[in-house]
Amino acid sequence: MTTSSENKVGIVLVSHSAKLAEAVVELAEQMTQEPAPIAIAAGIDDPENPFGTDVIKVQEAIESVYSDAGVVILMDLGSAVMSTEMALEFLSSSQRNHIKICTAPLVEGAISAIVQASLGANIQQVMAEANAALKSKISQINVDEIVPDKNLENINNIEKENLSNTIQTTVKNQLGIHARPAAKLVALANQFQSEIILGNLTKNSQVINAKSINQVITLAVKQGDEVVITATGNDADLALTKIQELITNNFGEAEVIVKKTPTTLTTPDATNKLIGTPASPGIAVGTVVHYQPTIPEVEDYPVEYPEVEWQYLQLILETAKKEIQGIIDSLSNKSTTDKTQTDILQTQLLYIEDPTLLEQVHQLIVAENHCAAVAWKTSIEAMINTYKELEDPYLQARAIDIKDVGGRVLQLLTGESSSSLNLSQPVILVTPDLTPSVALQLKSNMVLGICTSAGSVTAHSTLIVNTLGIPMVVGVGTQLLSLATDSQIALDGATGEVWIEPSQTQLQELGAKQSQTFEKSQAPQEAITKDGRKISLMANIVGVADAEFALECGAEGVGLLRSEFLYLDRQTQPTEAEEYETYRAIAQIMGSRPLTIRTLDIGGDKQVPYIKLESEANPFLGCRGIRQSLDTPEILRTQLRAILQASHGHNIKVMFPMVTSVQEVRAAKKILTEVENSLPGLNKIKVGIMVEVPAAVTMANQLAKEVDFFSIGTNDLSQYVMAADRTNSKVANLANGLEPAVLRMIQQTVIAAHEAEISVSICGQLGSNPVAVPILLGLGVDELSVAPPAISIVKTVISQLDMSEVEAIAHSVLQLDGAKSVQEYVVAQLGI
Ligand code: PEP
Ligand code: MG
């Protein structure tokens, strides 16, 4: 019997009984709306004794439903399996690659597989669904009653029937099959097509899928345990030989391992000093508190198209894998990286690919219509609990890895960041990395300093930390994460040095350095060069709290309010009244001083939950900044209405981010004019744009005619000019504003702005770099907008400069061959 339909996975049922197979198909078809290609190879042509299986029938059945989408074969027992394996021998090897034998029970497995295939699912999904078919039955019935059916007796039975191959061996390495050996075993098993199952004979455990990292780890195989491994399929022999080799070689570990105390740090040198990248200046000494992101809350909703939801999750999982791979790559490039660090991350990749986990998630989405976030979170939490219940404390501790990787995926799914920070005393925060919304929770009186194992200097979280004036070192490496909580560390955010349990002498040296920094902060009142050129010195802020701080630090106003940070944790769009209140509060702090409010710069590495951005392959090149605002004009309109109303009696300006074309500016200005016209009695507001895309630089002469001012975003300009993702620590050294390529862009922008008689400011990180300040002044920049803590040092630098001198320096550095030469040149000329 054959029911055909194109481009869907074909299902073949091999059974001793034709009636049985036909009844299964009939039952499955009650549950499907669309046909699936199904073929039956059941019974034999002997009216006297019709029960049996026939190799030729199986081969014909496969061929009748064969397509590139593949074929899944389900069998009942005994000779059905043998006939199937023999039938495969008659097919070409290219066909065999598209065929999967499914070990699921015939009735449950076939029904699940047929339903999936009819929906157009791919072969992996059909297999996953069929393999998970017994789960709902198990969960309905007492599990203990089911276990004996899948225990080791079964393995022996299978072996006796000669249907597969089995090895039995003893695990000798000291920690047993813990996370890293498990990762190796799973990676190896996944290289073979055969189904591979593993059981712990010593514990007489349930057999598990050797291709599932979670199942292998939670089997908790210890040193000395006897394991049994069974492989079923064409390459079973080779698979078992390789697995035997791996186990015999102790998974590449020494047989006797000197057990490491997890709280002891392996430091690279005798001075107990680690080196990272300086990210926010200042010295901090304090006790370590580890911050591990937790899993965000999610709300469920019934999904209308479960298959689309499942595909969406696949995209997110791919993104998460790319992120992890990125960290692995950057670690692998560092000479200080211990291989165990990258192994841990490789294991995280396996968690994401784990078939058992994915089966559960798939079941929750497709069979129970949960949204992807809830399905993922539920499955991850169940997995975490399984780990926590394990006896072995080492394996229990692996729950954090699942939490880490699970949280990463959930954050991508929800756009939300992780848990809140509840600190009761001032500490140094040690964390893998910070997201902008976590950085926003930081209080500078509670967080003395921050050290991250990954991270980058121009990531938005780093910028926020700068704004808060908290010393920070990023990219220290994962050995940082094994520091004991409560250990003492010191860090210098200007040099990237981190001292573990610093000595008295080291503390004294750091104290002396700190007081020198303090003396530097006795800065002049105004930013005026020796020859009398006044530079406006503004602050970059993210909210009401740092508006006051900015004035305390000596800012003359706000050159950049990153408005998107005001609402990073909002589930719903702020109302016009709420936005107005915030802008008004900041404007009141500023009085008559300038306050430049940048409209939402969502996209790239920033998300707000109330705007659902589509997942993009290259978010920094996608719907970001003004592009996104023009996509949701109502949100822009609301924001502009709030800004305009708050501007009454204050010196507020509005600025559009990520501008690429003249048309975008005109479109945004059109909306602004409409809003202005709807609010009679208010003065016209000054309009500016961020120049941070190379296209805006090359079109600067035309753009300058459209607006009142330019503000150069050197963080983005550097990443786009140098084609180096600002959040990727591996290419962070390329995205450097001191590169002559970037400096030339700044020069071009300033010339165009001044020809059109508009002012030009720098609001990227480059403006707070003492080495860059003379160059920027020399290029003719009118204003600098920097993080509040940098104001005093920038003022001090400016007060020591002479315009004719800096113009000559700027002219010279444009001709140099790279950022390093520029840095050295300025230091040599000015001794900065
Ligand atoms: C910049 O790109 O330099 C800038 C100031 O904007 P942001 O860092 O917020 O992207
Ligand atoms: Mg920018």
Side-chain angles (χ1 to χ4, degrees):
M1 184 197 104
T2 306
T3 310
S4 70
S5 89
E6 281 172 17
N7 292 329
K8 289 181 180 172
V9 173
I11 308 292
V12 170
L13 305 190
V14 182
S15 168
H16 285 70
S17 157
K19 281 189 187 156
L20 171 63
E22 276 160 11
V24 170
V25 172
E26 211 177 313
L27 191 56
E29 284 180 342
Q30 296 295 310
M31 301 179 197
T32 56
Q33 310 216 319
E34 297 289 331
I38 309 168
I40 288 176
I44 48 172
D45 297 327
D46 178 357
E48 295 289 298
N49 182 14
F51 296 109
T53 57
D54 179 334
V55 178
I56 302 297
K57 271 193 180 180
V58 177
Q59 184 200 349
E60 285 170 352
I62 295 171
E63 279 172 346
S64 73
V65 292
Y66 181 85
S67 75
D68 283 348
V71 176
V72 170
I73 307 174
L74 290 116
M75 304 140 296
D76 58 18
L77 58 166
S79 69
V81 182
M82 251 160 19
S83 299
T84 302
E85 288 187 327
M86 283 171 74
L88 288 183
E89 300 292 329
F90 294 118
L91 299 169
S92 69
S93 62
S94 67
Q95 279 182 319
R96 276 204 298 270
N97 289 342
H98 292 97
I99 296 170
K100 286 201 183 294
I101 301 180
C102 184
T103 54
L106 182 71
V107 177
E108 288 88 346
I111 291 172
S112 301
I114 291 169
V115 171
Q116 275 309 298
S118 75
L119 292 170
N122 65 30
I123 194 159
Q124 283 79 15
Q125 290 161 349
V126 173
M127 283 292 283
E129 192 62 16
N131 283 326
L134 262 192
K135 287 243 165 73
S136 59
K137 203 194 237 176
I138 291 173
S139 63
Q140 276 168 23
I141 309 167
N142 185 349
V143 183
D144 292 338
E145 287 175 43
I146 300 295
V147 170
D149 290 346
K150 280 202 87 189
N151 73 8
L152 299 177
E153 262 175 50
N154 245 15
I155 305 172
N156 296 332
N157 291 344
I158 294 169
E159 199 191 0
K160 274 182 213 137
E161 287 185 44
N162 232 358
L163 305 175
S164 51
N165 297 333
T166 295
I167 54 168
Q168 207 167 307
T169 186
T170 305
V171 171
K172 295 206 205 91
N173 57 313
Q174 183 164 347
L175 289 176
I177 307 188
H178 62 90
R180 268 177 298 131
K184 285 186 181 164
L185 177 59
V186 171
L188 181 61
N190 273 294
Q191 290 172 14
F192 298 96
Q193 286 189 344
S194 295
E195 301 286 327
I196 303 174
I197 53 175
L198 169 72
N200 189 337
L201 274 179
T202 308
K203 294 204 179 105
N204 194 24
S205 70
Q206 187 176 352
V207 291
I208 54 91
N209 179 358
K211 295 183 180 179
S212 158
I213 183 73
N214 288 303
Q215 290 201 5
V216 172
I217 294 182
T218 54
L219 193 63
V221 176
K222 290 216 165 106
Q223 185 179 35
D225 282 358
E226 186 128 5
V227 291
V228 59
I229 302 148
T230 300
T232 311
N234 293 336
D235 49 10
D237 284 346
L238 185 60
L240 290 178
T241 310
K242 292 283 172 198
I243 291 172
Q244 177 72 69
E245 260 173 38
L246 183 71
I247 298 177
T248 310
N249 292 333
N250 293 323
F251 301 89
E253 289 179 1
E255 204 160 331
V256 178
I257 300 168
V258 181
K259 211 169 183 171
K260 281 186 190 161
T261 320
T263 53
T264 307
L265 181 79
T266 321
T267 49
D269 64 32
T271 59
N272 260 13
K273 192 164 79 179
L274 300 173
I275 301 284
T277 309
S280 175
I283 285 163
V285 180
T287 43
V288 165
V289 161
H290 285 278
Y291 172 70
Q292 279 287 353
T294 55
I295 297 181
E297 287 305 316
V298 287
E299 264 178 47
D300 202 7
Y301 54 87
V303 291
E304 216 176 322
Y305 302 104
E307 275 308 324
V308 176
E309 190 77 357
W310 171 249
Q311 290 308 335
Y312 167 62
L313 178 66
Q314 302 312 302
L315 279 179
I316 294 287
L317 294 179
E318 280 311 311
T319 311
K321 282 195 244 170
K322 276 190 199 142
E323 283 183 6
I324 297 173
Q325 192 57 53
I327 306 173
I328 295 173
D329 292 346
S330 69
L331 280 173
S332 310
N333 281 351
K334 285 193 179 173
S335 54
T336 49
T337 303
D338 180 340
K339 182 150 184 319
T340 47
Q341 296 163 18
T342 45
D343 281 355
I344 289 166
L345 291 163
Q346 294 286 7
T347 313
Q348 288 205 352
L349 286 176
L350 290 175
Y351 289 129
I352 295 188
E353 290 163 358
D354 188 316
T356 321
L357 177 67
L358 293 181
E359 259 170 46
Q360 278 169 12
V361 180
H362 187 250
Q363 176 80 6
L364 288 170
I365 296 175
V366 174
E368 297 180 26
N369 287 51
H370 291 290
C371 69
V374 165
W376 179 258
K377 186 171 187 228
T378 311
S379 309
I380 283 290
E381 283 177 342
M383 201 63 86
I384 290 172
N385 287 336
T386 312
Y387 276 76
K388 283 189 179 157
E389 281 162 15
L390 295 174
E391 269 174 37
D392 184 332
Y394 179 87
L395 294 178
Q396 271 177 15
R398 303 284 54 82
I400 193 75
D401 295 335
I402 311 277
K403 194 188 251 181
D404 194 20
V405 81
R408 180 183 294 275
V409 171
L410 218 49
Q411 281 175 29
L412 287 168
L413 278 169
T414 60
E416 263 185 60
S417 80
S418 45
S419 65
S420 57
L421 280 165
N422 292 317
L423 300 172
S424 54
Q425 56 173 33
V427 295
I428 294 194
L429 216 61
V430 167
T431 175
D433 200 356
L434 278 184
T435 58
S437 42
V438 171
L440 275 173
Q441 296 175 33
L442 303 173
K443 302 267 178 300
S444 53
N445 57 341
M446 284 305 197
V447 181
L448 302 169
I450 301 169
C451 233
T452 66
S453 55
S456 96
V457 175
T458 54
H460 280 100
S461 51
T462 311
L463 300 183
I464 296 167
V465 172
N466 263 271
T467 311
L468 300 172
I470 301 174
M472 182 179 192
V473 178
V474 298
V476 179
T478 44
Q479 65 264 58
L480 185 73
L481 304 179
S482 56
L483 271 177
T485 293
D486 288 342
S487 50
Q488 270 262 318
I489 63 171
L491 63 91
D492 185 342
T495 62
E497 290 162 297
V498 180
W499 293 265
I500 317 302
E501 301 294 353
S503 65
Q504 276 310 313
T505 324
Q506 283 166 335
L507 287 175
Q508 274 161 11
E509 280 169 15
L510 286 168
K513 205 167 173 188
Q514 201 162 22
S515 49
Q516 267 173 23
T517 316
F518 181 71
E519 275 162 32
K520 274 194 195 158
S521 76
Q522 312 303 311
Q525 283 294 303
E526 281 193 302
I528 304 183
T529 60
K530 283 198 283 191
D531 51 345
R533 170 83 191 274
K534 163 90 182 71
I535 304 295
S536 305
L537 194 46
M538 303 288 164
N540 293 344
I541 64 165
V542 292
V544 180
D546 55 353
E548 273 167 10
F549 181 51
L551 293 187
E552 282 164 26
C553 292
E556 294 166 36
V558 170
L560 170 65
L561 167 63
R562 290 180 161 104
S563 69
E564 62 279 1
F565 287 124
L566 291 167
Y567 304 111
L568 277 189
D569 54 358
R570 287 280 302 231
Q571 294 300 323
T572 53
Q573 190 190 330
T575 61
E576 185 180 313
E578 282 170 320
E579 290 202 60
Y580 165 78
E581 287 304 331
T582 313
Y583 302 143
R584 186 82 192 159
I586 299 173
Q588 277 168 353
I589 294 169
M590 289 299 138
S592 59
R593 296 178 186 89
L595 164 58
T596 304
I597 303 180
R598 180 173 77 183
T599 57
L600 287 187
D601 184 13
I602 299 301
D605 60 344
K606 286 176 288 187
Q607 307 262 340
V608 290
Y610 65 89
I611 302 179
K612 293 267 173 273
L613 298 180
E614 278 171 31
S615 158
E616 296 175 306
N618 294 302
F620 274 116
L621 303 182
C623 193
R624 184 189 163 189
I626 195 170
R627 304 173 185 182
Q628 190 284 320
S629 291
L630 293 174
D631 217 36
T632 53
E634 268 322 304
I635 296 180
L636 177 62
R637 220 169 251 129
T638 306
Q639 184 173 28
L640 290 175
R641 281 180 72 86
I643 294 175
L644 280 171
Q645 291 172 89
S647 73
H648 184 60
H650 295 281
N651 185 4
I652 293 185
K653 307 176 199 181
V654 67
M655 175 159 78
F656 299 113
M658 181 77 188
V659 167
T660 311
S661 72
V662 175
Q663 283 69 28
E664 283 170 347
V665 180
R666 289 190 186 142
K669 275 173 48 188
K670 184 164 174 277
I671 295 176
L672 178 65
T673 308
E674 284 163 12
V675 174
E676 276 175 337
N677 291 342
S678 71
L679 294 167
L682 291 174
N683 289 336
K684 284 245 180 270
I685 197 164
K686 287 221 170 3
V687 185
I689 57 165
M690 300 275 299
V691 177
E692 50 187 348
V693 174
V697 176
T698 52
M699 296 299 282
N701 59 342
Q702 291 192 27
L703 288 166
K705 292 187 191 131
E706 302 287 332
V707 293
D708 302 304
F709 64 93
F710 281 166
S711 188
I712 304 179
T714 51
N715 305 332
D716 279 314
L717 188 59
S718 307
Q719 80 161 338
Y720 294 129
V721 169
M722 302 302 293
D725 181 344
R726 63 192 273 184
T727 61
N728 180 348
S729 49
K730 197 173 167 190
V731 293
N733 60 336
L734 269 180
N736 184 338
L738 286 179
E739 282 292 337
V742 181
L743 296 174
R744 287 181 189 198
M745 287 264 160
I746 296 174
Q747 180 196 39
Q748 205 176 325
T749 309
V750 173
I751 291 172
H754 288 174
E755 269 173 16
E757 295 182 352
I758 65 169
S759 66
V760 55
S761 161
I762 298 280
C763 63
Q765 281 285 83
L766 193 65
S768 38
N769 180 344
V771 169
V773 171
I775 305 172
L776 296 173
L777 263 58
L779 291 174
V781 164
D782 305 293
E783 177 182 303
L784 297 176
S785 189
V786 301
I791 288 173
S792 60
I793 181 81
V794 173
K795 264 190 196 166
T796 309
V797 171
I798 292 176
S799 70
Q800 291 162 4
L801 301 174
D802 186 285
M803 281 311 288
S804 58
E805 190 183 20
V806 293
E807 277 162 10
I809 289 176
H811 182 76
S812 302
V813 296
L814 293 181
Q815 309 312 319
L816 296 177
D817 61 3
K820 190 162 172 284
S821 309
V822 172
Q823 168 101 19
E824 284 165 3
Y825 183 83
V826 176
V827 171
Q829 293 294 311
L830 297 173
I832 285 175

